[in-house]
Structures are given as C-alpha cells and as structure tokens.
C-alpha cells in the first residue's frame, strides 16, 4: 500500500472520505471526489445510504487514521475461493466469487495473481483460501492449498 504518512505539524485540514465503513484522509479535493465517484459507481441499486461514499471537509485537527492518501487508491477485481476442510477431509462449506477491492481494504485487496492461506481454526476445521487477480491462478492455488490442508490431516 502506498500511503504518505501524516505530518503531525500540518495545519492543512485535508479532506476526509467516508466510503462505507472505511474512513480515508486525502490530500486534495480532486482525489476525494474521484474516490467518491468511483466507489459510488460500484454500489448496487439496493445499497443502503450508509454504504455510499461522501466527502467531509475538516477544519479542525485531524484525529482519524494516521495516514494520508496522496493519490487515488488502486481498485481491481479480486477473485476468491474459500473452503472449510473438516478433520475427515470433507468440505463443510465452499465459496467462490469475485469482488471489486480497494487498496485500503486490508486483507481482501491484492495485486498478486494468487495468494493462498491455510489456517487451522479452533473448532477443528482448516480454512483454505485462494485470492488474486487471475481467476485461473486462483483456481490452481486453491486446488493446491486444499491438497496441502488434506495432507496435514493425515
């Protein structure tokens, strides 16, 4: 993530964008407006008002996130496959899809073709996930991660 750290001595209020549950501070009104327009163009017609982005100007000392964006964050389609592998090797759930993700959405954004995660859960199952920008790589990565998770069970 490319962010510019906030200068604690800065007197410029900057601009604050509230995009769904995300709050971002940006350096210029143009960046704030572009983020807002892009975010809102991705919202479905049935979205709640709180899901839309809006720009809020601050005239007082900033107390929000410690970083300031000096550019429009990257937004791209991220493909994912996720499954819960039970101790007998069976799948208790499997999900796949794609979503537009923003650079500021930590944990769900990636610019990589594929990354995998294999994580043992306290309830005994193992979560297997592949996500990335290339759907073919994500499918292959998921199959590989699923095989690794099942090998760990034996």
């Amino acid at each position: 993530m490319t962010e510019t750290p906030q200068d604690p001595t800065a007197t410029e209020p900057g601009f604050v964008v509230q995009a769904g549950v995300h709050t971002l501070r940006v350096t210029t009104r143009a960046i704030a407006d572009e983020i807002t327009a892009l975010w809102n163009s991705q919202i479905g017609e049935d979205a709640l008002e709180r899901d839309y982005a809006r720009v809020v100007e601050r005239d007082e000392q900033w107390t929000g996130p410690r970083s300031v964006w000096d550019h429009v964050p990257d937004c791209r389609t991220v493909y994912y496959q996720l499954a819960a592998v039970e101790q007998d090797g069976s799948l208790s759930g499997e999900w796949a899809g794609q979503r537009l993700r923003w650079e500021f959405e930590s944990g769900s954004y990636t610019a990589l073709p594929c990354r995998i995660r294999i994580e043992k859960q306290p309830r005994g199952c193992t979560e297997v996930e592949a996500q990335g920008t290339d759907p073919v790589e994500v499918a292959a990565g998921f199959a590989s991660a699923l095989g690794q998770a099942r090998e760990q069970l034996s």
Side-chain angles (χ1 to χ4, degrees):
M1 183 180 313
T2 307
E3 294 180 313
T4 304
Q6 177 183 1
D7 177 358
T9 62
T11 57
E12 290 294 319
F15 295 86
V16 178
V17 176
Q18 184 68 44
V21 299
H22 305 284
T23 303
L24 298 104
R25 182 167 184 234
V26 299
T27 56
T28 68
R29 180 64 190 224
I31 292 171
D33 288 343
E34 189 169 349
I35 291 169
T36 300
L38 288 169
W39 180 276
N40 290 342
S41 73
Q42 299 168 3
I43 298 291
E45 291 178 7
D46 58 344
L48 300 173
E49 187 174 328
R50 69 174 183 248
D51 295 332
Y52 285 88
R54 63 190 175 286
V55 178
V56 180
E57 293 182 59
R58 295 279 187 164
D59 293 327
E60 55 207 50
Q61 183 65 28
W62 172 249
T63 60
R66 300 294 304 160
S67 57
V68 179
W69 291 87
D70 62 0
H71 64 280
V72 175
D74 186 40
C75 179
R76 60 182 67 216
T77 299
V78 174
Y79 300 88
Y80 64 89
Q81 285 189 258
L82 174 69
V85 182
E86 297 299 329
Q87 292 181 340
D88 65 359
S90 66
L91 300 182
S92 62
E94 186 173 359
W95 303 267
Q98 64 187 43
R99 283 212 52 206
L100 285 171
R101 294 296 186 180
W102 287 77
E103 192 175 356
F104 54 79
E105 294 181 285
S106 61
S108 58
Y109 169 85
T110 184
L112 298 173
C114 180
R115 66 179 181 194
I116 62 170
R117 179 181 62 84
I118 303 169
E119 187 176 309
K120 184 84 168 160
Q121 297 299 309
R123 65 179 176 91
C125 72
T126 301
E127 267 188 13
V128 175
E129 180 181 26
Q131 62 175 267
T133 58
D134 183 328
V136 173
E137 290 287 327
V138 169
F142 179 75
S144 173
L146 197 54
Q148 291 175 45
R150 286 181 168 145
E151 281 178 22
Q152 292 173 4
L153 296 171
S154 13

